Amino acid sequence: MKKIALAAVLAATASTAMAGSYAKDDVVMEPVVVVEEAQQSSSSAGILIPLILIAVVAAAVAAD
């Protein structure tokens, strides 16, 4: 019985001793800056897809 209790105590202390580290992290990563060039497009490009979607829905309703 003493061996089981001793094994349990050793297992508990070993797991808590290995839980963390006091070592200071010396690795410092600098952020990467990503520059993306914007493509020039017409001002009506943002409305083209919704207009097509409305036309498709209207055609589906008319066909019913």
Side-chain angles (χ1 to χ4, degrees):
M1 187 69 167
K2 288 183 183 180
K3 288 184 181 180
I4 294 174
L6 181 63
V9 169
L10 288 176
T13 57
S15 64
T16 56
M18 296 297 180
S21 173
Y22 290 106
K24 182 180 177 184
D25 293 335
D26 290 335
V27 179
V28 177
M29 296 185 67
E30 296 182 15
V32 178
V33 178
V34 178
V35 177
E36 186 175 328
E37 294 181 16
Q39 296 179 355
Q40 294 198 5
S41 61
S42 65
S43 62
S44 65
I47 195 140
L48 184 64
I49 293 175
L51 287 177
I52 292 172
L53 182 64
I54 291 172
V56 168
V57 169
V61 169
D64 227 0

